[in-house]
Amino acid sequence: MHIPDGFIDLKTSATVAAAGVVGVAAALKGAKEQLTEKSAPLAGLTAVFVFAVQMLNFPVAAGTSGHLLGGALAAVLVGPYAATLAITVVLIIQAFLFADGGLTALGLNLFNMSIIGVWAGYGTFLLVRKVMPKKKASIAVAAAFAGFISVPAAALGFVLQYAVGATATYETSTVLAAMVSTHILIGIGEAIITFLTVSAVLASRSDLVYGYRANVQELEIRS
């Protein structure tokens, strides 16, 4: 999904980048409340894991690439604010050290993956969790749904940016069909990986999983 240089005009790139900076700044503030001494190391490990996962790219039409995002996974494990920061760090390292995504398009990539991907995924997680039984197993299932939705949601963010400021000659409808169809398939893979990873962490250290801790706190308040 990394957008290359010159694919979106500079005006649109700068506008989206500014919005991304605001989002990351808010995440810095919010992460202080979400992270604990126990969960802070998990945020670093999550970033490393997401970095490795994002190196697996799938070619998509119109010169772009798609890959597993990890935003929803990170949001469930360490909270959406910390997840935004983790994905942001991953994308910056990829752009500067591995030329994965253009430097002028870095703001676009940050907005799509560390903000749209993370928050669309976490919002889905909250909705699914509310309608499922209040059991530990439901956390992993809700996380899987979140992982699935987060990928095409981020892809739609790119399509909107392309529609506003594309410099390429591909029709927006062509890009939409290519991005959504491909990223729905990638989303299935992301859902599976998210489910397995969250299940594994829940089985060993459920106290570290932000999505589970928040669910337990809600139950305690209600009682």
Side-chain angles (χ1 to χ4, degrees), residues 7 11 30 40 67 93-94 118 124 132 142 144 147 149 151-152 165 192 194-195 200 206 222:
F7 212 69
K11 181 180 178 180
H67 54 72
I93 293 175
Q94 288 178 337
V118 167
T124 301
M132 295 195 67
I149 295 298
V151 179
I192 295 172
T194 300
F195 176 82
S206 59
R222 291 175 183 175

Side-chain angles (χ1 to χ4, degrees), residues 109-195:
N109 290 319
L110 289 178
F111 190 84
N112 292 339
M113 287 182 268
S114 69
I115 295 180
I116 294 179
V118 167
W119 288 92
Y122 190 68
T124 301
F125 170 77
L126 292 178
L127 290 174
V128 175
R129 192 188 68 184
K130 284 185 177 181
V131 301
M132 295 195 67
K134 303 299 181 181
K135 298 180 180 179
K136 184 184 292 187
S138 298
I139 301 299
V141 175
F145 276 99
F148 173 74
I149 295 298
S150 68
V151 179
L156 286 174
F158 162 72
V159 174
L160 178 60
Q161 294 157 5
Y162 182 87
V164 173
T167 59
T169 58
Y170 299 100
E171 293 290 337
T172 301
S173 59
T174 300
V175 176
L176 174 64
M179 292 295 289
V180 172
S181 60
T182 301
H183 284 84
I184 284 177
L185 295 177
I186 296 174
I188 295 174
E190 177 129 4
I192 295 172
I193 292 175
T194 300
F195 176 82

